[in-house]
Amino acid sequence: MPPRSPRPADSLDDDDYPAYTMGRAAAMLGTTPAFLRALGEMRLITPLRSEGGHRRYSRYQLRIAARAREFVDRGTKIEDACRIVILEDQLEEAQRINAEHRAASKSGTP
């Protein structure tokens, strides 16, 4: 018997599934496709491409784009907004790693 393929409903819960077209993503964020293209050019998000070459965005990518948009809406240049979001994510990851190391040190495991 061949391996079971994932159920179609499984992708509905997947934050990384590229479910949204550029137009739909822009509408959800209340912005323009040009804004999303700019985020891609600055490598804040990298949308996947459909077989036809169209950009497709995941929920995770839309959350990142929404964070950048909040900065832009407050007057931050888009380039700076992207850098801030990247730095915030790097800081969060570093803090998580430090917390894991502290927890491991306290428990005596290397």
Side-chain angles (χ1 to χ4, degrees), residues 78-96:
I78 192 167
E79 298 86 4
D80 296 338
C82 289
R83 187 70 182 135
I84 291 167
V85 171
I86 289 167
L87 289 170
E88 285 178 343
D89 286 350
Q90 289 173 343
L91 176 60
E92 184 179 319
E93 177 68 6
Q95 289 172 332
R96 184 191 62 76

Side-chain angles (χ1 to χ4, degrees), residues 18-41 45-50 53-58 61-62 65:
Y20 304 99
T21 63
M22 178 179 275
R24 180 68 180 132
M28 290 171 69
L29 294 172
T31 190
T32 64
F35 178 79
L36 291 172
R37 280 192 295 276
L39 296 181
E41 290 168 8
I45 56 175
T46 304
L48 294 174
R49 298 282 182 149
S50 68
H54 300 282
R55 291 172 178 90
R56 305 285 296 195
Y57 297 89
S58 68
Q61 291 171 322
L62 295 184

Side-chain angles (χ1 to χ4, degrees), residues 4-15:
R4 234 172 112 193
S5 62
R7 297 182 337 211
D10 291 343
S11 59
L12 296 175
D13 294 330
D14 184 355
D15 271 355

